[in-house]
Amino acid sequence: MDKFRFSRLLGAQAAFLKTMRGVLSFGGFPADQVSVLQTAMPGIIAPALVIWGRQDKLLPVKQAEILKRLLPRVQVQVFDNCGHVPQVECAQRLNQEVLQFWAGLDTGAGR
C-alpha cells in the first residue's frame, strides 16, 4: 500500500492531526518536552533499532545522529531513496533489518 492510499484510510487523517496537536505548537516541539526526553535517553538500557530515510523531508536524517549519541545501545540504519515513512516506502528492507536486529538479540549480540 503506497503512503497516499494509507493516508486515505478511515480515521488516518484524524489520528495524524490528533497526534500532531498533542506534541506540536506553531514553534515546533516544545523545548521543555525535548529536554526531558533527551535527559532520559542515556538511561535507557534496552537495545534500540532506529531506521531513518535519508530523504525524510519532515525530520532530517541529522536527527538520527542525536539518537545515536543519546541512546547507549542503539543501532541506526539510514535508508537511501527513502523518506519519512520507511515502513511503507521501504517495507521489505525494513522488515529484513528488524528481523536481523531481533536475531542479534536472541544470540546476545544486542547485549
XYZ file of all heavy atoms in Angstrom:
863
model
N 0.856 -1.177 0.000
C 0.000 0.000 0.000
C 0.899 1.236 0.000
O 1.767 1.369 0.843
C -0.880 -0.032 1.252
C -1.708 1.214 1.429
S -2.765 1.203 2.885
C -3.701 -0.260 2.650
N 0.706 2.114 -0.969
C 1.529 3.315 -1.006
C 1.068 4.301 0.073
O -0.018 4.197 0.617
C 1.536 3.962 -2.394
C 0.187 4.542 -2.794
O -0.358 5.352 -2.027
O -0.300 4.195 -3.887
N 1.936 5.256 0.396
C 1.653 6.165 1.509
C 0.441 7.046 1.254
O -0.207 7.478 2.201
C 2.878 6.999 1.846
C 3.385 7.879 0.748
C 4.671 8.546 1.163
C 5.338 9.173 -0.027
N 6.641 9.697 0.312
N 0.096 7.298 0.016
C -1.063 8.135 -0.270
C -2.357 7.370 -0.007
O -3.301 7.920 0.543
C -0.992 8.671 -1.695
C 0.256 9.471 -1.933
C 1.267 8.991 -2.735
C 0.439 10.701 -1.300
C 2.434 9.722 -2.916
C 1.599 11.434 -1.481
C 2.598 10.948 -2.292
N -2.386 6.099 -0.367
C -3.567 5.285 -0.056
C -3.692 5.115 1.454
O -4.783 5.150 2.003
C -3.469 3.926 -0.740
C -3.781 4.025 -2.216
C -3.858 2.714 -2.948
N -4.021 1.537 -2.123
C -3.533 0.352 -2.448
N -2.856 0.185 -3.565
N -3.730 -0.682 -1.671
N -2.567 4.937 2.130
C -2.565 4.800 3.589
C -3.186 6.028 4.247
O -3.975 5.915 5.177
C -1.126 4.600 4.083
C -1.003 4.505 5.571
C -1.355 3.335 6.225
C -0.540 5.574 6.318
C -1.240 3.237 7.606
C -0.432 5.481 7.689
C -0.785 4.303 8.334
N -2.868 7.214 3.744
C -3.377 8.445 4.343
C -4.885 8.605 4.151
O -5.508 9.399 4.855
C -2.649 9.659 3.765
O -3.014 9.868 2.415
N -5.454 7.851 3.226
C -6.898 7.949 2.971
C -7.711 6.895 3.717
O -8.935 6.857 3.603
C -7.169 7.870 1.476
C -6.674 9.108 0.728
C -7.197 9.154 -0.692
N -6.857 7.975 -1.466
C -5.839 7.888 -2.320
N -5.048 8.918 -2.509
N -5.616 6.786 -2.993
N -7.048 6.042 4.495
C -7.779 5.051 5.268
C -8.682 5.749 6.277
O -8.345 6.824 6.800
C -6.814 4.125 6.007
C -6.010 3.164 5.151
C -4.995 2.416 6.000
C -6.916 2.186 4.425
N -9.783 5.132 6.589
C -10.741 5.688 7.528
C -10.060 6.000 8.863
O -9.456 5.124 9.477
C -11.898 4.710 7.753
C -12.999 5.165 8.694
C -13.698 6.410 8.125
C -14.005 4.057 8.913
N -10.101 7.251 9.270
C -9.548 7.676 10.554
C -8.083 8.055 10.527
O -7.564 8.567 11.520
N -7.382 7.815 9.426
C -5.943 8.090 9.371
C -5.647 9.582 9.531
O -4.750 9.961 10.287
C -5.339 7.563 8.070
N -6.379 10.434 8.834
C -6.118 11.869 8.923
C -6.451 12.405 10.313
O -5.705 13.211 10.874
C -6.883 12.616 7.843
C -6.357 12.304 6.457
C -7.191 12.937 5.354
O -8.149 13.643 5.607
N -6.806 12.674 4.116
N -7.537 11.954 10.893
C -7.915 12.397 12.241
C -6.860 11.966 13.261
O -6.492 12.739 14.150
C -9.288 11.855 12.616
N -6.360 10.747 13.134
C -5.327 10.252 14.049
C -4.046 11.066 13.909
O -3.412 11.428 14.910
C -5.055 8.774 13.785
N -3.679 11.373 12.672
C -2.480 12.170 12.438
C -2.623 13.556 13.073
O -1.726 14.025 13.775
C -2.218 12.299 10.936
C -1.079 13.211 10.603
C 0.234 12.779 10.737
C -1.303 14.504 10.170
C 1.292 13.613 10.444
C -0.259 15.358 9.872
C 1.044 14.901 10.011
N -3.746 14.209 12.827
C -3.958 15.550 13.390
C -3.977 15.533 14.909
O -3.408 16.426 15.552
C -5.254 16.158 12.845
C -5.203 16.580 11.386
C -6.584 17.014 10.908
C -4.191 17.700 11.176
N -4.598 14.545 15.499
C -4.634 14.448 16.963
C -3.220 14.289 17.527
O -2.855 14.915 18.518
C -5.513 13.275 17.396
C -5.695 13.191 18.894
C -6.684 12.110 19.278
C -6.881 12.116 20.783
N -7.879 11.141 21.202
N -2.426 13.464 16.876
C -1.043 13.271 17.310
C -0.255 14.572 17.202
O 0.438 14.968 18.146
C -0.363 12.175 16.462
O -1.095 10.971 16.622
C 1.079 11.976 16.867
N -0.365 15.238 16.071
C 0.384 16.482 15.878
C -0.041 17.569 16.867
O 0.799 18.278 17.418
C 0.224 16.995 14.445
C 0.909 16.137 13.392
S 2.697 16.009 13.619
C 2.869 14.406 14.360
N -1.324 17.678 17.111
C -1.803 18.696 18.060
C -1.336 18.394 19.487
O -1.193 19.301 20.292
C -3.318 18.779 18.007
C -3.810 19.439 16.738
C -5.332 19.504 16.685
N -5.757 20.113 15.444
C -6.745 19.652 14.692
N -7.437 18.600 15.065
N -7.063 20.264 13.566
N -1.086 17.138 19.774
C -0.635 16.755 21.105
C 0.831 17.023 21.364
O 1.252 17.113 22.520
N 1.620 17.147 20.303
C 3.060 17.297 20.503
C 3.657 18.550 19.890
O 4.796 18.900 20.200
C 3.850 16.064 19.994
C 3.464 14.813 20.744
C 3.665 15.876 18.495
N 2.930 19.240 19.031
C 3.484 20.391 18.325
C 2.728 21.672 18.625
O 1.543 21.650 18.931
C 3.441 20.173 16.815
C 4.353 19.136 16.219
C 4.103 19.017 14.722
C 5.802 19.454 16.468
N 3.458 22.766 18.510
C 2.841 24.091 18.525
C 3.347 24.807 17.273
O 4.091 24.242 16.478
C 3.242 24.851 19.784
O 4.622 25.168 19.740
N 2.993 26.083 17.110
C 3.481 26.818 15.945
C 5.001 26.955 15.964
O 5.624 27.145 14.935
C 2.820 28.194 15.857
C 1.398 28.126 15.401
C 0.367 28.477 16.250
C 1.078 27.685 14.125
C -0.947 28.404 15.840
C -0.229 27.599 13.697
C -1.247 27.961 14.559
N 5.605 26.827 17.114
C 7.060 26.919 17.229
C 7.765 25.583 17.120
O 8.963 25.491 17.334
N 7.039 24.517 16.828
C 7.640 23.188 16.732
C 7.420 22.411 18.015
O 6.451 22.625 18.732
N 8.342 21.509 18.316
C 8.254 20.742 19.555
C 8.612 21.647 20.719
O 9.620 22.359 20.661
C 9.212 19.544 19.534
C 8.813 18.458 18.580
C 9.416 18.354 17.346
C 7.817 17.561 18.930
C 9.045 17.345 16.463
C 7.444 16.546 18.054
C 8.059 16.444 16.820
N 7.834 21.639 21.800
C 8.174 22.460 22.970
C 9.546 22.070 23.526
O 9.823 20.891 23.754
C 7.058 22.145 23.967
C 5.936 21.595 23.142
C 6.590 20.910 21.977
N 10.393 23.063 23.734
C 11.774 22.818 24.173
C 11.823 22.057 25.494
O 12.695 21.207 25.682
C 12.531 24.138 24.283
N 10.901 22.336 26.402
C 10.940 21.645 27.693
C 10.664 20.153 27.529
O 11.285 19.328 28.198
C 9.973 22.283 28.696
C 8.517 22.259 28.243
O 8.256 22.268 27.020
O 7.637 22.244 29.127
N 9.775 19.785 26.615
C 9.497 18.365 26.376
C 10.688 17.679 25.716
O 11.021 16.544 26.044
C 8.253 18.198 25.518
C 6.978 18.584 26.238
C 5.759 18.432 25.353
O 5.808 17.827 24.289
N 4.643 18.988 25.801
N 11.326 18.365 24.794
C 12.509 17.813 24.129
C 13.617 17.607 25.151
O 14.283 16.568 25.176
C 12.976 18.725 22.970
C 14.311 18.259 22.423
C 11.923 18.767 21.871
N 13.813 18.571 26.024
C 14.853 18.489 27.049
C 14.626 17.304 27.988
O 15.555 16.567 28.318
C 14.913 19.795 27.843
O 15.862 19.704 28.859
N 13.388 17.118 28.426
C 13.065 15.990 29.311
C 13.381 14.669 28.616
O 13.997 13.771 29.201
C 11.578 16.043 29.748
C 11.143 14.740 30.401
C 11.339 17.215 30.682
N 12.988 14.553 27.376
C 13.235 13.330 26.615
C 14.731 13.082 26.434
O 15.228 11.977 26.664
C 12.535 13.416 25.258
C 12.601 12.192 24.363
C 11.993 10.975 25.032
C 11.908 12.470 23.045
N 15.461 14.112 26.051
C 16.903 13.948 25.822
C 17.645 13.629 27.113
O 18.621 12.891 27.091
C 17.475 15.192 25.154
C 17.053 15.319 23.714
C 17.668 16.518 23.011
O 18.156 17.449 23.650
N 17.619 16.513 21.700
N 17.183 14.147 28.229
C 17.810 13.858 29.513
C 17.584 12.402 29.910
O 18.466 11.769 30.495
C 17.262 14.803 30.601
O 17.564 16.147 30.219
C 17.867 14.521 31.946
N 16.425 11.864 29.581
C 16.091 10.492 29.965
C 16.752 9.434 29.078
O 17.002 8.313 29.528
C 14.574 10.308 29.940
N 17.047 9.770 27.847
C 17.523 8.766 26.886
C 18.787 8.018 27.306
O 18.852 6.799 27.124
C 17.707 9.397 25.512
C 16.417 9.590 24.787
S 16.747 10.229 23.135
C 15.167 9.956 22.399
N 19.808 8.662 27.852
C 21.007 7.893 28.216
C 20.751 6.802 29.253
O 21.517 5.858 29.362
C 21.960 8.967 28.758
C 21.524 10.222 28.076
C 20.028 10.098 27.993
N 19.662 6.909 29.999
C 19.324 5.895 30.989
C 18.569 4.710 30.430
O 18.297 3.743 31.146
N 18.230 4.740 29.157
C 17.503 3.626 28.540
C 18.509 2.531 28.201
O 19.410 2.728 27.386
C 16.747 4.091 27.279
C 15.693 5.135 27.667
C 16.130 2.901 26.551
C 15.015 5.795 26.482
N 18.360 1.391 28.837
C 19.354 0.324 28.649
C 18.916 -0.727 27.627
O 19.704 -1.584 27.252
C 19.698 -0.354 29.991
C 18.443 -0.968 30.614
C 20.368 0.630 30.926
C 18.728 -1.865 31.803
N 17.687 -0.649 27.186
C 17.202 -1.616 26.195
C 17.853 -1.357 24.846
O 18.046 -0.203 24.454
C 15.687 -1.508 26.060
N 18.187 -2.409 24.110
C 18.685 -2.215 22.755
C 17.608 -1.556 21.899
O 16.413 -1.829 22.082
C 18.963 -3.627 22.254
C 18.917 -4.505 23.447
C 18.116 -3.809 24.490
N 18.028 -0.706 21.002
C 17.073 0.011 20.152
C 17.548 -0.026 18.708
O 18.739 0.037 18.440
C 16.936 1.456 20.619
N 16.595 -0.105 17.820
C 16.868 -0.028 16.386
C 16.157 1.201 15.860
O 14.952 1.347 16.035
C 16.356 -1.276 15.661
C 16.446 -1.270 14.139
C 17.908 -1.197 13.678
C 15.749 -2.498 13.558
N 16.911 2.097 15.234
C 16.346 3.303 14.625
C 16.553 3.196 13.126
O 17.681 2.990 12.662
C 17.036 4.581 15.166
C 16.590 5.806 14.397
C 16.755 4.735 16.654
N 15.467 3.317 12.385
C 15.532 3.274 10.926
C 15.039 4.618 10.414
O 13.964 5.074 10.801
C 14.704 2.111 10.361
C 15.311 0.789 10.841
C 14.635 2.183 8.839
C 14.569 -0.451 10.435
N 15.845 5.257 9.561
C 15.549 6.611 9.087
C 15.721 6.671 7.582
O 16.657 6.076 7.036
C 16.548 7.578 9.715
C 15.978 8.920 10.042
C 15.696 9.928 9.161
C 15.630 9.404 11.331
N 15.198 11.010 9.829
C 15.156 10.716 11.173
C 15.676 8.869 12.609
C 14.724 11.497 12.240
C 15.265 9.636 13.664
C 14.789 10.930 13.473
N 14.870 7.395 6.925
C 15.013 7.617 5.495
C 15.894 8.824 5.227
O 15.664 9.897 5.779
N 16.907 8.651 4.410
C 17.833 9.754 4.117
C 17.114 10.944 3.469
O 17.478 12.085 3.672
C 18.964 9.276 3.210
C 20.058 10.335 3.026
C 21.270 9.824 2.299
N 21.871 8.641 2.860
C 22.669 8.603 3.942
N 22.931 9.710 4.602
N 23.180 7.460 4.360
N 16.051 10.671 2.724
C 15.326 11.745 2.051
C 14.094 12.199 2.847
O 13.186 12.820 2.300
C 14.915 11.307 0.644
C 16.068 11.242 -0.343
C 17.030 10.087 -0.116
O 16.649 9.017 0.325
N 18.305 10.313 -0.398
N 14.075 11.955 4.143
C 12.980 12.399 5.011
C 12.931 13.926 5.006
O 13.886 14.582 5.405
C 13.194 11.880 6.432
C 12.004 12.102 7.348
O 11.239 13.063 7.135
O 11.858 11.320 8.300
N 11.831 14.484 4.532
C 11.700 15.937 4.458
C 11.033 16.515 5.699
O 11.056 17.723 5.907
C 10.909 16.333 3.210
C 11.667 16.010 1.943
C 10.884 16.364 0.705
C 11.719 15.992 -0.511
N 10.978 16.040 -1.737
N 10.464 15.669 6.547
C 9.832 16.136 7.766
C 10.829 16.180 8.926
O 10.898 17.165 9.648
C 8.654 15.227 8.123
C 7.805 15.638 9.304
C 7.181 17.011 9.083
C 6.714 14.604 9.556
N 11.602 15.122 9.076
C 12.627 15.050 10.122
C 13.959 14.700 9.456
O 14.160 13.565 9.027
C 12.266 13.989 11.160
C 10.997 14.254 11.962
C 10.609 13.031 12.773
C 11.173 15.456 12.860
N 14.864 15.661 9.367
C 16.137 15.424 8.670
C 16.939 14.293 9.303
O 16.871 14.052 10.509
C 16.885 16.753 8.810
C 15.890 17.746 9.273
C 14.770 17.003 9.911
N 17.714 13.623 8.471
C 18.495 12.470 8.911
C 19.491 12.850 10.015
O 19.872 11.994 10.815
C 19.188 11.785 7.708
C 20.318 12.622 7.172
C 19.638 10.390 8.067
N 19.869 14.100 10.114
C 20.791 14.504 11.192
C 20.181 14.267 12.573
O 20.905 14.122 13.555
C 21.234 15.961 11.028
C 20.143 16.970 11.236
C 20.655 18.380 11.033
C 19.517 19.372 11.212
N 19.966 20.732 11.040
N 18.848 14.172 12.648
C 18.189 13.867 13.915
C 18.551 12.457 14.385
O 18.614 12.194 15.589
C 16.677 14.006 13.788
C 16.197 15.387 13.412
C 16.467 16.411 14.494
O 16.337 16.122 15.674
N 16.849 17.598 14.086
N 18.804 11.558 13.466
C 19.205 10.201 13.822
C 20.551 10.214 14.539
O 20.799 9.381 15.417
C 19.269 9.313 12.578
N 21.404 11.147 14.181
C 22.708 11.253 14.843
C 22.549 11.638 16.310
O 23.333 11.220 17.158
C 23.600 12.261 14.113
C 24.018 11.797 12.740
C 24.772 10.474 12.757
O 25.666 10.288 13.618
O 24.455 9.613 11.913
N 21.535 12.438 16.614
C 21.265 12.799 18.009
C 20.889 11.548 18.798
O 21.384 11.326 19.907
C 20.153 13.867 18.089
C 20.634 15.173 17.451
C 19.708 14.089 19.534
C 19.556 16.217 17.258
N 20.044 10.714 18.211
C 19.662 9.468 18.884
C 20.871 8.559 19.070
O 21.007 7.902 20.100
C 18.571 8.755 18.091
C 17.235 9.488 18.012
C 16.284 8.741 17.089
C 16.624 9.669 19.380
N 21.737 8.537 18.087
C 22.949 7.719 18.161
C 23.817 8.156 19.342
O 24.426 7.336 20.025
C 23.725 7.870 16.850
C 24.693 6.775 16.547
C 25.341 7.084 15.217
C 25.569 5.853 14.425
N 26.194 6.114 13.135
N 23.849 9.446 19.582
C 24.639 9.995 20.676
C 23.987 9.755 22.035
O 24.673 9.553 23.029
C 24.803 11.500 20.447
C 26.121 12.049 20.752
C 26.298 13.531 20.460
N 25.167 14.366 20.819
C 24.412 15.048 19.950
N 24.662 14.981 18.663
N 23.412 15.787 20.355
N 22.656 9.790 22.093
C 21.951 9.752 23.370
C 21.581 8.357 23.862
O 21.494 8.128 25.065
C 20.673 10.594 23.284
C 20.880 12.093 23.146
C 19.546 12.794 22.924
C 21.573 12.661 24.373
N 21.329 7.440 22.957
C 20.921 6.096 23.365
C 22.138 5.179 23.411
O 22.816 4.988 22.399
C 19.880 5.534 22.392
C 18.504 6.182 22.448
C 17.658 5.761 21.251
C 17.805 5.835 23.747
N 22.422 4.619 24.569
C 23.662 3.843 24.706
C 23.717 2.563 23.888
O 24.802 2.112 23.531
C 23.729 3.535 26.205
C 22.374 3.767 26.738
C 21.689 4.730 25.821
N 22.585 1.958 23.557
C 22.588 0.668 22.859
C 21.757 0.735 21.586
O 20.924 -0.110 21.324
C 22.068 -0.423 23.790
C 22.968 -0.587 25.020
C 22.473 -1.616 25.981
N 22.501 -2.928 25.357
C 21.731 -3.944 25.751
N 20.893 -3.802 26.731
N 21.817 -5.104 25.139
N 22.023 1.754 20.781
C 21.228 1.962 19.580
C 21.983 1.519 18.331
O 23.201 1.648 18.255
C 20.783 3.441 19.446
C 21.960 4.342 19.147
C 19.691 3.606 18.407
N 21.235 0.957 17.400
C 21.737 0.698 16.052
C 20.939 1.603 15.125
O 19.709 1.595 15.169
C 21.506 -0.759 15.653
C 22.314 -1.758 16.437
C 21.994 -3.177 15.986
O 21.733 -3.438 14.815
N 22.013 -4.103 16.931
N 21.620 2.394 14.330
C 20.951 3.306 13.410
C 21.178 2.818 11.983
O 22.311 2.589 11.578
C 21.468 4.755 13.563
C 20.837 5.674 12.530
C 21.186 5.274 14.974
N 20.088 2.647 11.261
C 20.142 2.282 9.854
C 19.505 3.420 9.067
O 18.362 3.795 9.333
C 19.358 0.993 9.588
C 19.918 -0.234 10.275
C 21.232 -0.666 9.679
O 21.523 -0.405 8.516
N 22.033 -1.338 10.469
N 20.251 3.978 8.125
C 19.725 5.048 7.271
C 19.523 4.459 5.880
O 20.449 3.918 5.283
C 20.692 6.254 7.227
C 20.164 7.322 6.286
C 20.893 6.821 8.636
N 18.294 4.561 5.391
C 17.941 4.006 4.089
C 18.017 5.096 3.029
O 17.367 6.135 3.160
C 16.519 3.459 4.091
C 16.296 2.214 4.907
C 17.300 1.627 5.652
C 15.046 1.630 4.928
C 17.075 0.489 6.394
C 14.797 0.484 5.654
C 15.817 -0.099 6.399
N 18.799 4.853 1.982
C 18.812 5.747 0.824
C 17.522 5.568 0.032
O 16.875 4.514 0.094
C 20.006 5.442 -0.078
C 21.310 5.933 0.538
O 21.310 7.016 1.141
O 22.316 5.223 0.408
N 17.160 6.589 -0.711
C 15.950 6.570 -1.538
C 14.704 6.256 -0.719
O 13.819 5.519 -1.146
C 16.085 5.573 -2.691
C 17.289 5.880 -3.548
O 17.486 7.018 -3.947
N 18.106 4.888 -3.804
N 14.658 6.816 0.473
C 13.549 6.580 1.377
C 13.267 7.870 2.138
O 14.194 8.590 2.516
C 13.911 5.454 2.343
S 12.520 4.839 3.287
N 11.992 8.148 2.367
C 11.592 9.370 3.044
C 11.167 9.130 4.478
O 11.778 8.345 5.205
N 10.071 9.766 4.875
C 9.632 9.790 6.264
C 8.897 8.517 6.701
O 8.747 8.273 7.889
C 8.714 11.009 6.480
C 8.297 11.197 7.893
N 9.183 11.542 8.890
C 7.086 11.077 8.488
C 8.542 11.630 10.035
N 7.265 11.355 9.822
N 8.490 7.693 5.764
C 7.677 6.528 6.119
C 8.341 5.245 5.607
O 7.830 4.581 4.704
C 6.243 6.676 5.543
C 5.301 5.657 6.155
C 5.697 8.083 5.767
N 9.491 4.868 6.179
C 10.197 3.698 5.660
C 9.399 2.405 5.769
O 9.585 1.505 4.956
C 11.483 3.636 6.495
C 11.248 4.518 7.654
C 10.206 5.503 7.281
N 8.491 2.316 6.729
C 7.690 1.094 6.853
C 6.757 0.910 5.668
O 6.308 -0.204 5.403
C 6.926 1.059 8.181
C 5.831 2.082 8.314
C 6.306 3.417 8.866
O 7.474 3.780 8.776
N 5.382 4.169 9.441
N 6.508 1.986 4.929
C 5.687 1.898 3.720
C 6.576 1.969 2.482
O 6.463 1.153 1.572
C 4.636 3.033 3.684
C 3.860 3.028 2.372
C 3.684 2.926 4.871
N 7.490 2.934 2.463
C 8.321 3.190 1.283
C 9.381 2.117 1.052
O 9.759 1.863 -0.093
C 9.012 4.550 1.430
C 8.064 5.729 1.539
C 8.799 7.010 1.894
O 9.820 7.307 1.255
O 8.345 7.695 2.819
N 9.889 1.540 2.101
C 10.986 0.563 2.014
C 10.665 -0.650 2.887
O 11.509 -1.126 3.649
C 12.286 1.206 2.478
S 12.692 2.739 1.653
N 9.453 -1.126 2.788
C 8.943 -2.149 3.704
C 9.791 -3.421 3.723
O 10.100 -3.946 4.799
C 7.499 -2.488 3.359
N 10.188 -3.911 2.570
C 10.939 -5.166 2.537
C 12.282 -5.021 3.255
O 12.649 -5.868 4.079
C 11.149 -5.622 1.101
C 11.808 -6.980 1.009
C 11.891 -7.494 -0.417
O 11.445 -6.847 -1.357
N 12.462 -8.666 -0.592
N 12.990 -3.951 2.973
C 14.289 -3.744 3.632
C 14.101 -3.527 5.128
O 14.859 -4.048 5.937
C 15.028 -2.564 3.004
C 16.358 -2.352 3.679
C 17.295 -1.484 2.914
N 18.503 -1.318 3.703
C 19.242 -0.263 3.706
N 18.945 0.751 2.922
N 20.321 -0.175 4.457
N 13.091 -2.748 5.510
C 12.832 -2.514 6.923
C 12.567 -3.837 7.640
O 13.133 -4.090 8.711
C 11.649 -1.564 7.097
C 11.311 -1.227 8.544
C 11.068 0.265 8.701
C 10.137 -2.014 9.038
N 11.739 -4.669 7.049
C 11.442 -5.968 7.666
C 12.703 -6.807 7.839
O 12.880 -7.451 8.877
C 10.404 -6.720 6.838
C 9.034 -6.082 6.914
O 8.730 -5.339 7.847
N 8.205 -6.338 5.918
N 13.581 -6.791 6.844
C 14.839 -7.537 6.947
C 15.700 -6.994 8.093
O 16.275 -7.770 8.858
C 15.611 -7.461 5.637
C 14.981 -8.241 4.515
C 15.673 -7.994 3.176
O 16.430 -7.046 2.996
N 15.381 -8.857 2.211
N 15.795 -5.685 8.212
C 16.599 -5.074 9.272
C 16.041 -5.409 10.661
O 16.799 -5.706 11.586
C 16.676 -3.557 9.098
C 17.442 -3.102 7.879
C 18.935 -3.385 7.936
O 19.484 -3.608 9.042
O 19.561 -3.393 6.866
N 14.725 -5.375 10.783
C 14.103 -5.702 12.073
C 14.356 -7.161 12.433
O 14.725 -7.471 13.579
C 12.589 -5.378 12.052
C 11.887 -5.948 13.276
C 12.374 -3.870 11.978
N 14.210 -8.051 11.474
C 14.461 -9.470 11.747
C 15.917 -9.711 12.138
O 16.201 -10.486 13.061
C 14.067 -10.320 10.540
C 12.561 -10.422 10.272
C 12.301 -11.146 8.952
C 11.838 -11.088 11.425
N 16.851 -9.058 11.469
C 18.269 -9.191 11.819
C 18.539 -8.643 13.218
O 19.300 -9.227 13.986
C 19.148 -8.476 10.796
C 19.247 -9.198 9.489
C 20.096 -8.441 8.468
O 20.514 -7.314 8.687
N 20.345 -9.075 7.337
N 17.917 -7.515 13.538
C 18.082 -6.919 14.863
C 17.584 -7.899 15.931
O 18.272 -8.171 16.912
C 17.322 -5.592 14.920
C 17.342 -4.927 16.255
C 18.471 -4.265 16.708
C 16.214 -4.936 17.066
C 18.488 -3.638 17.947
C 16.218 -4.304 18.295
C 17.361 -3.653 18.738
N 16.385 -8.439 15.728
C 15.837 -9.391 16.693
C 16.698 -10.641 16.805
O 16.903 -11.172 17.888
C 14.422 -9.786 16.309
C 13.402 -8.726 16.600
C 13.535 -7.632 17.402
C 12.081 -8.676 16.086
N 12.379 -6.907 17.408
C 11.477 -7.518 16.606
C 11.360 -9.478 15.210
C 10.172 -7.160 16.306
C 10.066 -9.113 14.914
C 9.477 -7.964 15.453
N 17.197 -11.134 15.675
C 18.058 -12.321 15.697
C 19.320 -12.046 16.505
O 19.787 -12.912 17.257
C 18.410 -12.741 14.276
N 19.854 -10.838 16.373
C 21.028 -10.466 17.158
C 20.739 -10.447 18.650
O 21.590 -10.791 19.468
N 19.536 -10.053 19.011
C 19.155 -10.060 20.423
C 19.070 -11.492 20.941
O 19.494 -11.778 22.067
C 17.801 -9.362 20.625
C 17.751 -7.882 20.294
C 16.339 -7.359 20.484
C 18.735 -7.094 21.121
N 18.558 -12.395 20.110
C 18.432 -13.804 20.507
C 19.792 -14.451 20.736
O 19.923 -15.343 21.559
C 17.670 -14.608 19.450
C 16.176 -14.277 19.445
O 15.682 -13.707 20.447
O 15.507 -14.583 18.445
N 20.800 -13.986 19.989
C 22.134 -14.581 20.125
C 22.996 -13.838 21.140
O 24.136 -14.203 21.362
C 22.870 -14.582 18.775
O 23.061 -13.218 18.349
C 22.109 -15.353 17.723
N 22.456 -12.778 21.704
C 23.214 -12.000 22.676
C 24.015 -10.885 22.074
O 24.691 -10.140 22.765
N 23.940 -10.706 20.747
C 24.726 -9.658 20.082
C 24.256 -8.267 20.472
O 25.012 -7.326 20.402
C 24.657 -9.834 18.566
N 23.002 -8.121 20.875
C 22.472 -6.807 21.236
C 22.681 -6.442 22.685
O 22.232 -5.440 23.160
N 23.396 -7.309 23.423
C 23.609 -7.056 24.860
C 24.837 -6.256 25.123
O 25.740 -6.142 24.452
C 23.685 -8.382 25.606
C 22.354 -9.097 25.552
C 22.391 -10.329 26.395
N 21.107 -10.989 26.197
C 20.918 -12.266 26.239
N 21.893 -13.064 26.503
N 19.743 -12.783 26.052
